[in-house]
Each structure stands twice: as C-alpha cells, then as structure tokens.
Amino acid sequence: MAATSVAIKPRLVLPPKTSTRCGDHALLLFWPGRNPNRNEIPQRMRVKAQAEKHDSSSSSSSTMSIDFSDPDWKSKYQRDFEARFNIPHITDVVSEAVSYPSTFCLKMRTPVSVDLLERYSDEEWHGYIYNNDRVLLKVIHYSSPTSAGAECVDPDCTWVEQWVHRAGPREKIYFKPEEVKAAIVTCGGLCPGLNNVIRQIVITLEIYGVKKIVGIPFGYRGFADKDLAEIPLSRKVVQNIHLSGGSLLGVSRGGPKVSEIVDSMEERGINMLFVLGGNGTHAGANAIHEECRKRRLKIAVVGVPKTIDNDILLIDKTFGFDTAVEEAQRAINSAYIEAHSAYRGIGIVKLMGRSSGFIAMQSSLASGQIDICLIPEVPFNLHGPHGVLSHLKYLLETKGFAVVCVAEGAGQNFLEKTNATDASGNIVLGDIGVHIQQEIKKYFKEVGFPADVKYIDPTYMIRACRANASDRILCTVLGQNAVHGAFAGYSGITVGICNTHYVYFPIPEVISQPRVLDPNSRMWHRCLTSTGQPDFF
C-alpha cells in the first residue's frame, strides 16, 4: 500500500462496492415501476456522503496526522486518543488541593455527621472505582470497511483499542462535604427524567454528607436574574418529584455571559455545579469549567447529557429517549387507527429529531405500523416516479391505507430557510409535517385519487411526560455518578453510558457535533426491513 497521510478519524470512508447487494433487490420489490437496471451507486454514495457530513461516531477531530505506512502509527493514534480523552482534574490548576478518605461507603448506613471523615478513615470497602479503571469505547472488530456500520481507523480496519474512564465512587475525595455548596441547573427544553436526575443528585450528595444543596431556577439565567432566588434542596424536598414530568427547577434557553455566571458562583460560594442539558448546555458548562480554571478556582463542573433526540456523541443512550419512543407509540397507533378506519386513509406522525432520526427510527421499529419512515440523515424525493407520494399511491392501491413517521429535521431542503435561531442558537426549522400533509393532499387531488389524510404532532406530549422505568434507572445511575465524579475532583466532564458501562467523558469530545444515525447501520437496515419502504430517489 502506498504511503498516505490522513487526519485521524474514527470512521474510514470508502466508496461502496460496485457489485449489486441483495439489499438493493429487497428494496426494489416494494417499489412499483422501478427500473431494476437503474444504477444505484450514485444515490447510495450521496446518502453516505450526507451521513459522513455529520459523522455519528466521530469525536472532535485530532490535529495529529498519521502516515499509515509508519509501523508505529497505531501506538501514536492510541497516545493521541488517550490525551484527548484524559479527564480534567482540579489538581491540574489547584496544585495545593489535597485528598481525603471518601465519606461514601455503603457499609455505613447510619446518618452522616460532621465527624464522618474520622469515622470512615479506617473503613475497608471494596466498592470503589480505581482511577485507572477503563471501559472499551468500541467493541466490534470490523473485518472490512464495507461491513454494515463499519467504523475503521485505517483502510485495513486494524483493531485499535480505545479506552475511556470508568465512572463511580473513588476511595479519595477532594472536597470536604461540610464545605461543599452544590448547585443543580436544568437548561434547554424539557425531557422525561429531569426530576429523577435532580432527585438522585441530591440524595447522593446527602449520603456524602453535603448539607448545602440548591437549585438554580430556569437554567443559566437564574445565575443573573435577581428576581430568581435559589431553591433549597434536600431529600425531603425531592423525595417525590420523580413522580411528575418536567423540572422542579424550571428550564430556559440562553443566559448571561460566562464570566457573570462564574462571578455569581463565587458570590454564592458554589463549588460544585451539576448541569443537565444537551449539546448547547454542555458547551456552556465547558465554558464555565474553563473560566473556573482560568481563575484557579476549586470548583467541579459536571454535566449530565439530556436530550430525547439521543444525539450526544459517543454515548449509547441519553435519558428520556426510551420514554419518548414509548410515548410516541400512542401517536403512531392513533394515526394507524385513523388511517386504517378511513377509506384510503393516510396517517402522518411528526416526531422530534432536529439532526438525528433515532426517535423516528426506534418508534417505527417498535410500533410495526409504519410504512414510511423519513429521517434527516437520508435524503428523499416527494415527487417523481420514485418519490414518497408515488409510493403512498401504491400503498393505497395495494393495502388501502398507509402510515408515515417523519422526524422534524427531515426534508428541510423542501422548506424555505429563514436563518432564524432560538435562544440556544439552534436553527429554527420549517414544519416538515405540515408540508408533507399539504403535498399529499395536493398530489392526490391532482391525480383524482381520493385520500383521507390525518396529521398528528405529539411533540410536547412526548417530552413533558414522566420517565418510564427504563429511563428512571438510567437517570438514577447518571445522577449518582455525576456526584461521584465531582467528589473525585473531576471537572469539565459529563457522565454517560458506553457499552452498558457508565463512564466519564471530557465535555469537548461529546459536543463537537451532533450524533446522527448511520444509514449503513444495521439498525436502519432493520427499520427498512420492517417498513418495506424503498429508496425515495
């Protein structure tokens, strides 16, 4: 192989094979009027290119370039990876910070008191996590770059171990509980499970012995708005908040300058900050962390990823996602009943997913009632012989009804761009659900083919409900590990689940870009198998 020098990326992009794959034929069977000799490669390359534009598995790009002809390239890559994923610690900037024996020990279940350091100092408990414990980030060794969902570093798909820090309680802590004032803030939009995470953070802080715990109302703006007072938190206050949806603390987007937030934290004596939010919120948390380091403050800033879109890099699943998928079943079933009960009925359900189609895909798979699933990662045509409308006509002719699930970020190329942004800096999307509804009605009227179209948008119903059992467990463990990370002296980190294990990531590695669905992944292939939909090109 000729020597090449490329920037390191977790995914290698190679052109698809020129041979015809069985998957192409399987899709053709469901598409009437399709020319079986039509060259599929250009369209599939376009789909792949769009997916790679927002690579779902890549972290922030390394500035290091590696020559794969260098026999030592693998070890260089691993050293670069380890450096990027090393999690910041308060001793990096506060060298005088000292450690203490942990006050967290499940062998002692009596109420904690001020003398807890002395009481626990000789306690032996084998429930601690060592700082050198690691979790493997990738567990599949792909034999070929063209394997479904392949994520390769080099053209030969060499196995490269990538380890990240295991989450959990440490034997040594860097804060005296009686000196801690912990604050919790929830930002962005609502998400099922927010109250569960708040509750568990408070409970775990109290187990460590913390007495001063407050909530910052209405996101980051609560740090600057003098009319918004801190909310005192304790186990008694949060005991039953998980039984309701929403956030006890309230949410909002945007907020004051980072310097003003850190000024406020210093004035209030806050030395632990727990931030619950998505990519934008985590970007703010990282900026707060950096400002604290700049001022050499002994403050731990820890994030807990919150988004029902499930679009946080490197993390298997974010809390609220399972609940959103489950709640979406009601809307999909309603659309199915409406469509099935009507003469040539079509039911449309629009689900959340600005840049990723995870909710739409998983909801479609779970329901078994969806005929067409449209997501942002896969382009499609509405009109033309291979468009969505043509396939809908075919479905009405053959089965009498159809159900469509569309993610909110899908098909934005059909809508007029406004360039407007919300308070979090997100582009304001056009309403693709309404557009598709109107186009369907217009199309069937023009072809003289009666169709009864029903449109359901359950957006706020999905995110405002309380978490289901699966998400409650996830929220509980995330909240606990956020506190463990803060007491261990880590800052500028977020906690997540990776290959069924809980880990700490440096915030920059998870916010570089949204995680998106890979159209060549096995899960998307499973969704296509379930719906039977063709490529809409």
Side-chain angles (χ1 to χ4, degrees), residues 194-508:
L194 279 170
N195 281 335
N196 301 71
V197 178
I198 294 169
R199 177 179 184 271
Q200 201 56 224
I201 289 175
V202 172
I203 289 173
T204 309
L205 284 168
E206 287 198 350
I207 289 175
Y208 270 95
V210 177
K211 300 298 183 183
K212 293 177 286 186
I213 311 170
V214 299
I216 304 299
F218 300 107
Y220 288 134
R221 72 173 62 245
F223 283 106
D225 193 329
K226 302 301 182 183
D227 295 327
L228 299 176
E230 294 177 349
I231 302 173
L233 299 176
S234 65
R235 181 162 193 155
K236 183 177 181 180
V237 172
V238 303
Q239 185 63 44
N240 295 315
I241 63 172
H242 63 298
L243 302 179
S244 302
S247 169
L248 170 72
L249 308 179
V251 295
S252 72
R253 300 187 184 277
K257 295 179 180 179
V258 172
S259 59
E260 295 176 12
I261 293 176
V262 177
D263 288 343
S264 176
M265 291 172 62
E266 285 195 85
E267 292 172 7
R268 300 167 190 245
I270 294 171
N271 52 8
M272 280 189 189
L273 177 64
F274 299 95
V275 181
L276 284 58
N279 277 317
T281 301
H282 270 66
N286 191 62
I288 293 170
H289 157 73
E290 292 294 345
E291 180 67 16
C292 290
R293 287 169 69 92
K294 180 181 176 181
R295 302 186 189 188
R296 298 180 55 82
L297 300 176
K298 188 183 175 184
I299 297 178
V301 181
V302 179
V304 181
K306 174 231 69 176
T307 168
I308 64 171
D309 288 356
N310 201 32
D311 62 350
I312 304 293
L313 278 177
L314 305 171
I315 293 174
D316 292 353
K317 181 173 63 176
T318 53
F319 75 84
F321 175 68
D322 277 354
T323 304
V325 170
E326 185 173 307
E327 195 67 16
Q329 301 306 298
R330 301 187 187 189
I332 291 174
N333 189 55
S334 297
Y336 168 81
I337 292 173
E338 288 285 351
H340 184 265
S341 301
Y343 176 64
R344 291 177 175 170
I346 298 175
I348 307 169
V349 178
K350 186 185 77 172
L351 298 177
M352 281 185 162
R354 294 183 55 85
S355 57
S356 63
F358 291 104
I359 293 181
M361 177 185 70
Q362 296 278 39
S363 298
S364 298
L365 268 171
S367 72
Q369 298 170 318
I370 297 297
D371 298 293
I372 298 174
C373 178
L374 305 174
I375 60 174
E377 297 88 340
V378 179
F380 59 90
N381 284 332
L382 284 175
H383 298 276
H386 308 306
V388 172
L389 299 176
S390 176
H391 187 59
L392 278 173
K393 185 172 182 292
Y394 166 72
L395 290 171
L396 294 187
E397 290 172 340
T398 54
K399 59 182 288 191
F401 68 97
V403 184
V404 180
C405 178
V406 56
E408 62 177 324
Q412 290 298 304
N413 55 300
F414 299 121
L415 306 172
E416 183 179 352
K417 291 181 173 58
T418 63
N419 295 322
T421 59
D422 61 20
S424 295
N426 300 314
I427 297 293
V428 176
L429 300 177
D431 196 328
I432 185 62
V434 170
H435 179 75
I436 288 179
Q437 176 194 29
Q438 294 172 345
E439 289 297 307
I440 291 174
K441 290 181 176 180
K442 180 181 177 183
Y443 171 79
F444 283 104
K445 183 178 180 180
E446 289 176 350
V447 298
F449 194 92
D452 191 344
V453 185
K454 298 294 192 301
Y455 173 56
I456 299 175
D457 181 354
T459 299
Y460 296 104
M461 295 174 62
I462 286 177
R463 74 178 199 175
C465 60
R466 70 175 184 173
N468 65 9
S470 174
D471 272 329
R472 289 180 201 173
I473 295 171
L474 178 58
C475 291
T476 296
V477 183
L478 291 176
Q480 290 176 357
N481 280 315
V483 176
H484 294 321
F487 263 102
Y490 297 120
S491 180
I493 65 169
T494 192
V495 59
I497 187 168
C498 177
N499 293 321
T500 73
H501 296 280
Y502 292 86
V503 302
Y504 296 132
F505 288 115
I507 291 178

Side-chain angles (χ1 to χ4, degrees), residues 162-213:
Q162 301 172 55
W163 299 95
V164 292
H165 292 253
R166 186 184 179 197
R170 267 56 174 178
E171 191 171 8
K172 298 292 184 181
I173 59 177
Y174 284 81
F175 292 88
K176 290 184 177 181
E178 65 270 23
E179 296 176 359
V180 168
K181 181 177 181 181
I184 307 171
V185 61
T186 56
C187 307
L190 290 180
C191 178
L194 279 170
N195 281 335
N196 301 71
V197 178
I198 294 169
R199 177 179 184 271
Q200 201 56 224
I201 289 175
V202 172
I203 289 173
T204 309
L205 284 168
E206 287 198 350
I207 289 175
Y208 270 95
V210 177
K211 300 298 183 183
K212 293 177 286 186
I213 311 170

Side-chain angles (χ1 to χ4, degrees), residues 46-162:
R46 289 196 297 272
V47 173
K48 188 70 173 176
Q50 175 158 330
E52 296 302 338
K53 183 178 179 182
H54 302 291
D55 187 357
S56 63
S57 61
S58 67
S59 55
S60 59
S61 299
S62 169
T63 57
M64 183 179 181
S65 292
I66 287 187
D67 182 352
F68 288 131
S69 65
D70 181 354
D72 198 35
W73 75 262
K74 182 176 175 180
S75 60
K76 290 179 180 178
Y77 177 89
Q78 288 175 317
R79 285 196 297 269
D80 178 65
F81 181 91
E82 184 177 350
R84 289 192 293 117
F85 281 79
N86 183 44
I87 51 180
H89 196 272
I90 59 172
T91 54
D92 297 340
V93 293
V94 185
S95 57
E96 63 273 18
V98 297
S99 64
Y100 312 95
S102 178
T103 56
F104 181 86
C105 178
L106 297 182
K107 295 181 76 172
M108 177 64 72
R109 292 180 175 84
T110 55
V112 293
S113 58
V114 178
D115 64 345
L116 62 168
L117 289 177
E118 290 75 14
R119 289 170 47 209
Y120 282 66
S121 59
D122 296 325
E123 187 75 53
E124 290 188 4
W125 182 55
H126 299 297
Y128 296 117
I129 301 297
Y130 283 84
N131 287 336
N132 289 328
D133 285 359
R134 297 290 188 271
V135 173
L136 198 58
L137 182 64
K138 306 294 182 185
V139 295
I140 300 178
H141 182 186
Y142 296 97
S143 61
S144 169
T146 56
S147 177
E151 299 172 7
C152 300
V153 176
D154 71 324
D156 294 325
C157 260
T158 303
W159 172 251
V160 180
E161 293 181 353
Q162 301 172 55

